[in-house]
Amino acid sequence: MVNEEGTKMTELAVHIQHTFGIPTERLNVVAELFRPQHLSKGDFWLRQGEYCQAMSFIQEGYLRIFSQTRDKEVTQWVSGPTYFVTELPSLQFGSPARWNIQALTDCELLTIHLDDYRQIGRLVPEWYHLEKLFIAKCFAILEDRVFGFLSQTAEERYEQLWSQQRALFQQVPLQYLASMLGMTPETLSRIRKKQLS
C-alpha cells in the first residue's frame, strides 16, 4: 500500500491508520514511536495486577489474554498478527490490570510505551478525537461479543470465529478457544467433529 506521496507505508503505519484514523502525513511520525520487542513462548507481556504501561502491534505470533479466577482460567481473547494488544482500562486509567497477556508462540512485536503514547497528542493535533473513536470502536466490539454470548448458540459462536479467525484453529490450543467461546473443550470438540464431517 502506498500513501498520497507515493512512498511505501510500513505494515504498522497501515494498521495505525486503519485502527486510529491518523492522517497519512503524520503516520510515520507516530510509527517511529514504536520499538521492536521479542517475546519467547510462555513469556508474559503483562500480569494480572500489574499496571499496563504499553501497547503493542503484533507482527508475528499469538498472545493470549486471560484471567485467573479462584477455580479456572478464562480466556478473553487471542490476538495474532496485525492486531494491537494492550489492557485498555489499565493503560487509560492507571488501574491494576484485570488480565494476563502471555505469548502462546514466539512473538515479534512493535511496542509503544506509555510516555511515548502520551506524546501522540502533541504530534497529532487530532489525536484526542481519534483516540475517542478508537475507544468507541473497542466498546462496539465488546458489545458485539456480549450480544453474541447472549443471543447465539455455541455452534453459531464457533462458526463465526471459524469464518473470521480460521488461523487460530491451527495455532492455538483448543481449550483456550473453547474458553474464549464460552464452552467446555468437550463441547468444542463435538461441534468441530460435526462441522468437519
Side-chain angles (χ1 to χ4, degrees), residues 34 60 83 99 113 143 149:
F34 286 76
E60 296 176 20
Y83 274 75
W99 302 99
H113 292 280
E143 276 193 328
F149 273 94

Side-chain angles (χ1 to χ4, degrees), residues 11 18 29 42 58 100 120 132 145 164 190 196:
E11 186 179 22
H18 174 75
V29 173
I58 304 172
N100 297 292
I120 296 175
K132 282 182 189 175
R145 287 198 69 205
Q164 295 174 351
R190 178 179 52 78
L196 296 172

Side-chain angles (χ1 to χ4, degrees), residues 87-104:
E87 219 273 17
L88 197 57
S90 184
L91 183 72
Q92 289 289 328
F93 306 122
S95 55
R98 296 171 299 169
W99 302 99
N100 297 292
I101 303 178
Q102 185 180 29
L104 288 177

